[in-house]
Amino acid sequence: MDVPHYNFGEKGKIPVIGFGTYNLLGQQAVEATKFAISVGYRLIDTASYYENEKEIGIGIKSVEIDRSKLFLTTKIWPSDFSKPENAIETSLKNLDEDYVDLFLIHWPGQHFDLRLKAYKALEKYNQTGQIKYLGVSNFNRQQILEFIDLVDVLPVVNQVHCSPFSYPKELIEFCLANNMLIEGYTPIEKGRRSHAILTKLAQKYNKSEVQIMLRWAIEVGVIPLPKSSNPLRIESNIDIFDFKLTTDEITKISMI
Ligand SMILES: NC(=O)c1ccc[n+]([C@@H]2O[C@H](COP(=O)([O-])OP(=O)(O)OC[C@H]3O[C@@H](n4cnc5c(N)ncnc54)[C@H](OP(=O)(O)O)[C@@H]3O)[C@@H](O)[C@H]2O)c1
């Protein structure tokens, strides 16, 4: 089954779920990426900070799939904001890619001027086609508002922590109203959280609590990015398109 997409911008398409890669290193990162693509993930989320861009690039190339079918994301870390071009070139080189689909400012960092300088560098690479879309991560409402006024290419994504246990509803609504999609990181709380509402729904739909959490994210318009190194879990985390939660169930989970 093809993973559904959201449409955004003029002709953009982004899968409704992605594969997180933080803490995947070395050959494990290669194998997990290959496996994730083979079971249907099309969005792969990495970052220079994760020190696995090379392995993600190798994983992508070792699967027989048209590059245009994938949506590859990486990020620039605040300590690189003063020399952003070096960081962007290094990411492209490590990934061994002509372009990435989405480049995010990983964290806002302390200094507004440097943050803007990094974003302006991303805009230059957007002009050349080496970065298709620009976005931010861990930005609050104020930080987004400051940016919207000063940038030429608007960010299309804000990647933030989002799960039933940490649901930044107002920020999400603000971003969606400003044509920004939300990607949710740590969407399954590392598989360490449980709740009676999730347990009950897992029984009802014959799914795991993690699958209920991921389906909920999609139902509230957030793109979850679950990470796993384990093939069974990688596959089960995307096996969430054969059921739907009711409006009442979505509300109950949102209130956890
Ligand atoms: N922008 C940011 O600042 C930021 C911050 C954090 C994360 N992220 C991105 O978001 C992704 C996801 O976040 P995350 O890695 O922090 O947390 P997560 O996806 O919520 O949890 C990953 C952990 O859960 C375990 N797990 C995976 N599937 C499971 C399942 N079905 N049942 C039980 N346990 C399961 C994994 O272990 P196994 O590997 O052993 O399966 C791993 O330890 C990251 O990989 C990264 O791409 C971005």
Side-chain angles (χ1 to χ4, degrees), residues 104-141:
L104 305 177
I105 299 278
H106 202 147
W107 281 89
Q110 297 293 316
H111 306 290
F112 177 78
D113 291 353
L114 287 177
R115 184 185 313 154
L116 189 62
K117 177 178 170 162
Y119 195 88
K120 288 280 167 196
L122 295 180
E123 285 183 333
K124 276 197 254 162
Y125 284 78
N126 175 251
Q127 290 287 314
T128 63
Q130 288 160 289
I131 300 176
K132 279 198 177 179
Y133 299 101
L134 309 187
V136 297
S137 179
N138 300 299
F139 273 42
N140 61 30
R141 183 193 179 102

Coordinates of all heavy atoms in Angstrom, one line a residue, residues 104-141:
L104 N 15.8 21.5 7.7 CA 15.2 22.2 8.8 C 16.3 22.9 9.6 O 17.4 22.4 9.8 CB 14.5 21.2 9.7 CG 13.4 20.3 9.2 CD1 12.9 19.4 10.2 CD2 12.2 21.1 8.6
I105 N 15.9 24.0 10.2 CA 16.7 24.6 11.3 C 16.4 23.7 12.5 O 15.2 23.7 13.0 CB 16.2 26.1 11.6 CG1 16.5 26.9 10.4 CG2 16.9 26.6 12.8 CD1 17.8 27.5 10.1
H106 N 17.4 23.0 13.1 CA 17.1 21.9 14.0 C 16.5 22.5 15.3 O 15.6 22.0 15.9 CB 18.4 21.1 14.3 CG 18.2 19.8 14.9 ND1 19.0 18.7 14.6 CD2 17.2 19.3 15.7 CE1 18.5 17.6 15.2 NE2 17.5 17.9 15.9
W107 N 17.2 23.5 15.8 CA 16.7 24.2 17.1 C 16.9 25.7 16.8 O 17.8 26.1 16.1 CB 17.5 23.8 18.3 CG 17.1 22.5 18.9 CD1 17.6 21.3 18.5 CD2 16.1 22.3 19.9 NE1 17.0 20.3 19.3 CE2 16.1 20.9 20.1 CE3 15.3 23.1 20.6 CZ2 15.2 20.3 21.1 CZ3 14.4 22.5 21.6 CH2 14.4 21.2 21.8
P108 N 16.1 26.6 17.4 CA 16.2 28.0 17.1 C 17.6 28.6 17.6 O 18.1 29.5 17.0 CB 15.1 28.7 17.9 CG 14.3 27.6 18.6 CD 14.9 26.3 18.3
G109 N 18.2 28.0 18.6 CA 19.5 28.5 19.1 C 19.2 29.8 19.9 O 18.1 30.3 20.0
Q110 N 20.3 30.4 20.4 CA 20.2 31.5 21.3 C 20.1 32.9 20.5 O 19.5 33.8 21.0 CB 21.4 31.7 22.2 CG 21.6 30.5 23.2 CD 20.5 30.4 24.2 OE1 20.1 31.5 24.8 NE2 19.9 29.3 24.4
H111 N 20.7 32.9 19.4 CA 20.9 34.2 18.7 C 20.0 34.4 17.4 O 20.2 33.6 16.5 CB 22.4 34.4 18.4 CG 23.2 34.3 19.6 ND1 23.3 35.2 20.6 CD2 24.1 33.3 19.9 CE1 24.1 34.8 21.5 NE2 24.6 33.6 21.1
F112 N 19.2 35.3 17.5 CA 18.2 35.5 16.4 C 19.0 35.8 15.1 O 18.7 35.2 14.0 CB 17.3 36.7 16.6 CG 16.4 37.0 15.5 CD1 15.3 36.2 15.2 CD2 16.7 38.0 14.6 CE1 14.5 36.4 14.1 CE2 15.9 38.2 13.5 CZ 14.8 37.5 13.3
D113 N 20.1 36.6 15.1 CA 20.8 37.0 13.9 C 21.4 35.7 13.2 O 21.4 35.6 12.0 CB 21.9 38.0 14.2 CG 21.3 39.3 14.6 OD1 20.1 39.5 14.5 OD2 22.1 40.2 15.0
L114 N 22.0 34.9 14.0 CA 22.6 33.6 13.5 C 21.5 32.7 12.9 O 21.7 32.1 11.9 CB 23.4 32.9 14.6 CG 24.7 33.6 14.9 CD1 25.4 32.8 16.1 CD2 25.7 33.7 13.7
R115 N 20.4 32.6 13.6 CA 19.3 31.8 13.2 C 18.8 32.2 11.8 O 18.7 31.4 10.9 CB 18.2 31.9 14.2 CG 17.0 31.1 13.9 CD 15.9 31.4 14.9 NE 16.3 31.5 16.3 CZ 15.8 32.3 17.3 NH1 14.7 33.0 17.0 NH2 16.3 32.4 18.5
L116 N 18.7 33.5 11.6 CA 18.3 34.1 10.4 C 19.3 33.9 9.3 O 19.0 33.5 8.1 CB 17.9 35.6 10.5 CG 17.3 36.2 9.3 CD1 15.9 35.6 9.0 CD2 17.1 37.7 9.6
K117 N 20.6 34.1 9.7 CA 21.7 33.9 8.7 C 21.7 32.4 8.2 O 21.8 32.2 7.0 CB 23.0 34.1 9.4 CG 24.2 33.9 8.6 CD 25.5 34.2 9.3 CE 26.7 33.7 8.5 NZ 28.0 34.3 8.9
A118 N 21.4 31.5 9.1 CA 21.4 30.0 8.6 C 20.2 29.8 7.7 O 20.3 29.2 6.6 CB 21.2 29.1 9.8
Y119 N 19.1 30.4 8.0 CA 17.9 30.2 7.2 C 18.1 30.9 5.8 O 17.7 30.3 4.7 CB 16.6 30.8 7.8 CG 15.4 30.3 7.2 CD1 14.7 29.2 7.6 CD2 14.8 31.1 6.2 CE1 13.6 28.7 7.0 CE2 13.6 30.6 5.6 CZ 13.0 29.5 6.0 OH 11.8 29.0 5.4
K120 N 18.8 32.0 5.8 CA 19.0 32.7 4.5 C 19.9 31.9 3.6 O 19.8 31.9 2.4 CB 19.7 34.1 4.8 CG 18.7 35.1 5.4 CD 17.8 35.7 4.2 CE 16.7 36.5 4.8 NZ 15.7 36.7 3.7
A121 N 20.9 31.1 4.3 CA 21.7 30.2 3.5 C 20.9 29.1 2.9 O 21.1 28.7 1.8 CB 22.8 29.7 4.4
L122 N 20.0 28.6 3.7 CA 19.1 27.5 3.2 C 18.3 28.1 2.0 O 18.1 27.4 1.0 CB 18.1 27.0 4.3 CG 18.7 26.3 5.5 CD1 17.6 25.9 6.5 CD2 19.5 25.1 5.1
E123 N 17.9 29.3 2.1 CA 17.1 29.9 0.9 C 18.0 29.9 -0.4 O 17.5 29.7 -1.4 CB 16.7 31.3 1.3 CG 15.6 31.4 2.2 CD 15.1 32.8 2.5 OE1 15.9 33.8 2.4 OE2 13.9 33.0 2.9
K124 N 19.3 30.2 -0.2 CA 20.2 30.2 -1.4 C 20.2 28.8 -2.1 O 20.1 28.7 -3.3 CB 21.6 30.6 -1.0 CG 21.8 32.0 -0.9 CD 23.3 32.4 -0.9 CE 23.8 32.8 0.4 NZ 25.2 32.7 0.7
Y125 N 20.2 27.8 -1.2 CA 20.3 26.4 -1.8 C 18.9 26.0 -2.3 O 18.8 25.1 -3.2 CB 20.8 25.4 -0.7 CG 22.3 25.5 -0.5 CD1 22.8 26.5 0.2 CD2 23.1 24.6 -1.1 CE1 24.2 26.6 0.3 CE2 24.5 24.6 -1.0 CZ 25.0 25.7 -0.3 OH 26.4 25.8 -0.1
N126 N 17.9 26.6 -1.8 CA 16.5 26.4 -2.4 C 16.5 27.0 -3.8 O 15.9 26.4 -4.7 CB 15.5 27.1 -1.5 CG 14.1 27.0 -2.0 OD1 13.5 28.1 -2.4 ND2 13.5 25.9 -2.0
Q127 N 17.1 28.1 -4.0 CA 17.2 28.7 -5.3 C 17.8 27.8 -6.4 O 17.4 27.8 -7.5 CB 18.0 30.1 -5.3 CG 17.3 31.2 -4.5 CD 16.2 31.8 -5.3 OE1 16.3 32.0 -6.5 NE2 15.0 31.9 -4.7
T128 N 18.9 27.1 -5.9 CA 19.6 26.3 -6.9 C 19.0 24.9 -7.0 O 19.4 24.1 -7.8 CB 21.1 26.0 -6.3 OG1 21.0 25.3 -5.1 CG2 21.9 27.3 -6.1
G129 N 17.9 24.6 -6.3 CA 17.2 23.3 -6.4 C 17.9 22.2 -5.5 O 17.4 21.1 -5.5
Q130 N 18.9 22.6 -4.7 CA 19.5 21.5 -3.9 C 18.7 21.3 -2.6 O 18.9 20.3 -1.9 CB 21.0 21.9 -3.5 CG 21.9 21.8 -4.7 CD 23.1 22.7 -4.6 OE1 23.1 23.9 -4.6 NE2 24.2 22.0 -4.3
I131 N 17.9 22.2 -2.3 CA 16.9 22.0 -1.2 C 15.5 22.4 -1.7 O 15.3 23.5 -2.2 CB 17.2 22.9 0.0 CG1 18.6 22.7 0.6 CG2 16.2 22.8 1.1 CD1 19.1 23.6 1.7
K132 N 14.6 21.4 -1.7 CA 13.3 21.7 -2.3 C 12.4 22.5 -1.4 O 11.8 23.4 -1.8 CB 12.6 20.3 -2.5 CG 13.0 19.7 -3.8 CD 12.0 18.7 -4.2 CE 12.3 18.0 -5.5 NZ 11.3 17.0 -5.9
Y133 N 12.4 22.2 -0.1 CA 11.6 22.9 0.9 C 12.3 23.2 2.1 O 13.2 22.5 2.6 CB 10.3 22.1 1.3 CG 9.5 21.7 0.1 CD1 9.6 20.5 -0.5 CD2 8.6 22.7 -0.5 CE1 8.8 20.2 -1.7 CE2 7.9 22.4 -1.6 CZ 8.0 21.1 -2.2 OH 7.3 20.9 -3.3
L134 N 12.0 24.3 2.8 CA 12.6 24.8 4.0 C 11.7 24.7 5.2 O 10.4 24.8 5.0 CB 13.0 26.2 3.9 CG 13.9 26.7 2.7 CD1 14.3 28.1 2.8 CD2 15.0 25.7 2.4
G135 N 12.2 24.4 6.3 CA 11.4 24.3 7.5 C 12.2 24.6 8.8 O 13.4 24.9 8.7
V136 N 11.5 24.5 9.9 CA 12.1 24.8 11.2 C 11.7 23.6 12.1 O 10.9 22.8 11.8 CB 11.6 26.1 11.8 CG1 12.1 27.3 10.9 CG2 10.1 26.2 12.0
S137 N 12.4 23.6 13.3 CA 12.1 22.6 14.3 C 12.2 23.2 15.7 O 13.1 24.0 15.9 CB 13.0 21.4 14.1 OG 12.8 20.4 15.1
N138 N 11.3 22.9 16.6 CA 11.3 23.4 17.9 C 11.2 24.9 18.0 O 11.7 25.5 18.9 CB 12.7 23.0 18.6 CG 12.8 21.4 18.7 OD1 12.0 20.8 19.3 ND2 13.8 20.9 18.0
F139 N 10.5 25.4 17.0 CA 10.2 26.9 17.0 C 8.8 27.1 17.7 O 7.9 26.4 17.5 CB 10.1 27.4 15.6 CG 11.4 27.9 15.0 CD1 12.5 27.1 15.1 CD2 11.4 29.1 14.2 CE1 13.7 27.5 14.6 CE2 12.6 29.5 13.7 CZ 13.8 28.7 13.8
N140 N 8.8 28.1 18.6 CA 7.5 28.5 19.2 C 6.8 29.6 18.3 O 7.4 30.0 17.3 CB 7.7 29.0 20.6 CG 8.6 30.2 20.7 OD1 8.6 31.1 19.8 ND2 9.3 30.4 21.8
R141 N 5.6 29.9 18.7 CA 4.8 30.9 17.9 C 5.6 32.2 17.6 O 5.6 32.6 16.5 CB 3.6 31.1 18.7 CG 2.5 32.0 18.1 CD 1.5 32.4 19.2 NE 0.5 33.3 18.6 CZ -0.7 32.9 18.3 NH1 -1.1 31.7 18.5 NH2 -1.5 33.7 17.7

